[in-house]
Amino acid sequence: MSASSVVLLPYAPSSVAVARQRLCSDLQERGVYETAIDDAVLVVSELLSNALRHAHPLPSGQIRVSWHWTEEQVEVAVSDGGAATEPRAGRPTLSSLGGRGLGIVEYLASTWGVRHEGDITTVWAVVTAVNTVGNGHVSTPEPALRECG
């Protein structure tokens, strides 16, 4: 079983909350583990915030957020109009005010990367969506019971 969603959003900071809520609701409906939902929502927040801070909008003036869910993983992606620099995880000092976003993504995701298609840059990340117990056995999902937001 798998499912995909694509959302075009305004190139504006308010789009981060909209993307978080839509992703959370969609994954809850599919019975994804709450911890996987939390990780995917945080990762998409970081990717979208980075795109809004460092990149240009798509030619339409928007930004694209997408996700693809399988029973084992959630791949989230944010597509924008590119930037002057390549997205990469930084190593900020303790006193730095920013620069931790892709480090957080790197920590939470099993893998992440960047794709270029013409003038469009897509930063994607894969979050594990299965829950393992003590000895590595996969346990049955419990529905997420919290509100998205």
Side-chain angles (χ1 to χ4, degrees):
M1 178 187 236
S2 70
S4 296
S5 293
V6 177
V7 181
L8 285 171
L9 297 167
Y11 186 79
S14 60
S15 293
V16 176
V18 174
R20 289 172 58 94
Q21 197 281 326
R22 288 192 185 174
L23 174 60
C24 180
S25 294
D26 190 38
L27 295 180
Q28 280 184 340
E29 288 174 16
R30 298 181 193 295
V32 175
Y33 285 102
E34 188 172 337
T35 54
I37 293 171
D38 290 344
D39 289 351
V41 166
L42 180 54
V43 167
V44 91
S45 295
E46 293 298 337
L47 296 181
L48 188 49
S49 295
N50 282 350
L52 291 168
R53 178 174 293 194
H54 301 291
H56 302 287
L58 294 166
S60 66
Q62 297 172 303
I63 198 155
R64 182 173 63 228
V65 180
S66 61
W67 54 92
H68 178 78
W69 169 79
T70 67
E71 292 184 12
E72 293 84 28
Q73 63 187 31
V74 179
E75 179 177 330
V76 295
V78 174
S79 301
D80 56 52
T85 59
E86 182 78 4
R88 61 180 175 82
R91 302 290 177 245
T93 64
L94 291 175
S95 62
S96 296
L97 297 177
R100 291 173 180 80
L102 288 176
I104 292 169
V105 171
E106 196 170 71
Y107 179 79
L108 293 174
S110 57
T111 186
W112 73 278
V114 182
R115 284 190 304 264
H116 298 282
E117 302 161 45
D119 291 335
I120 297 174
T121 299
T122 300
V123 183
W124 57 270
V126 176
V127 174
T128 301
V130 293
N131 191 25
T132 56
V133 291
N135 56 6
H137 288 81
V138 175
S139 66
T140 306
E142 295 175 20
L145 299 176
R146 64 174 179 73
E147 275 188 43
C148 295

